[in-house]
Amino acid sequence: MWLLTVLLLWDWLLLQVSSRVVMEGEPLALRCHAWKNKQVYNVFYYQNGKVIKSFNRNSDLTIPKTNINHNGIYHCSGMGRNRYTSAGVSVTVKGLQSPTPVWFHFLFYVVVGIMFLVDTVLCVTIWKELKRKKKWNLEIPLDSAHEKKVTSDLQKHRHEKDLKRQEQEEQLQNRVHRQAPQEAKQ
């Protein structure tokens, strides 16, 4: 039952606690004793440096119902041949957590399930519609010089190449037409 928190061979006085972490409402037992269980007189128990209880002889201190105010560092002091003080022991009291109602968990999972179902149905519907139309690009019309609709950057790039090629062909044809009458005159 006792958890030995500090055991150094050269410490004459030791403080033992039943548990270093306690749930709120549970008891906490403190035991201050001397090396080899020698008799100790004028025993004082401290919490965060303040005296909380004193006894004329060795005696255990029990806090029957702990609460958050019992958090802290405990130590004890007592008289043997001299006045001795134990090392400090940290004790943490954890508060009771109010449980989340079952209906909240149920409602949460139902809402998440409905959102998943709606999302999946929308995704499948959009996928089927796009597959049916065989259009994988979003059609965003961009105006071009020849009133042609361009729907994506790739198509725009191809369209610009086509326009350049057409211009080059027209320039070549113009040269050929200019050269043909000059050759006929010669």
Side-chain angles (χ1 to χ4, degrees):
M1 167 161 168
W2 291 100
L3 172 68
L4 186 59
T5 57
V6 179
L7 179 58
L8 301 174
L9 295 177
W10 55 86
D11 280 350
W12 193 82
L13 197 60
L14 301 172
L15 176 66
Q16 291 178 308
V17 296
S18 56
S19 179
R20 292 184 66 154
V21 178
V22 182
M23 292 301 294
E24 188 173 15
E26 291 181 352
L28 174 65
L30 302 154
R31 181 176 179 233
C32 187
H33 65 96
W35 182 250
K36 296 185 180 180
N37 289 323
K38 292 186 179 180
Q39 191 64 39
V40 181
Y41 302 95
N42 296 328
V43 177
F44 290 90
Y45 286 93
Y46 300 85
Q47 177 191 8
N48 298 327
K50 295 181 182 177
V51 175
I52 55 172
K53 188 76 173 173
S54 64
F55 297 97
N56 287 332
R57 292 191 176 196
N58 290 44
S59 186
D60 297 347
L61 171 64
T62 301
I63 301 170
K65 281 190 169 185
T66 55
N67 60 45
I68 300 300
N69 296 328
H70 293 112
N71 280 325
I73 298 178
Y74 289 83
H75 72 276
C76 65
S77 68
M79 289 294 292
R81 290 184 186 160
N82 299 309
R83 172 139 307 265
Y84 296 98
T85 301
S86 72
V89 178
S90 175
V91 173
T92 303
V93 179
K94 291 189 173 187
L96 295 176
Q97 298 174 351
S98 60
T100 308
V102 174
W103 65 266
F104 179 80
H105 290 282
F106 178 75
L107 182 63
F108 174 79
Y109 289 114
V110 167
V111 169
V112 169
I114 290 171
M115 287 179 10
F116 177 76
L117 182 65
V118 168
D119 182 49
T120 303
V121 167
L122 285 173
C123 184
V124 168
T125 304
I126 291 170
W127 180 76
K128 283 183 178 181
E129 185 67 22
L130 287 174
K131 189 174 180 182
R132 186 178 66 81
K133 290 183 175 181
K134 293 186 180 181
K135 291 183 180 178
W136 296 98
N137 294 334
L138 292 175
E139 291 190 21
I140 303 171
L142 301 172
D143 291 335
S144 64
H146 298 289
E147 300 297 325
K148 184 177 178 183
K149 284 189 176 180
V150 180
T151 58
S152 71
D153 285 337
L154 180 60
Q155 289 176 338
K156 184 178 178 182
H157 182 67
R158 287 180 183 165
H159 180 66
E160 288 172 354
K161 278 185 169 180
D162 289 343
L163 287 175
K164 283 183 183 178
R165 193 177 319 118
Q166 285 175 1
E167 283 180 30
Q168 289 173 353
E169 287 175 2
E170 286 174 8
Q171 288 174 358
L172 185 60
Q173 286 178 356
N174 287 340
R175 284 186 208 153
V176 170
H177 287 298
R178 285 184 204 150
Q179 289 177 355
Q182 290 174 358
E183 289 176 2
K185 288 180 185 179
Q186 291 177 358

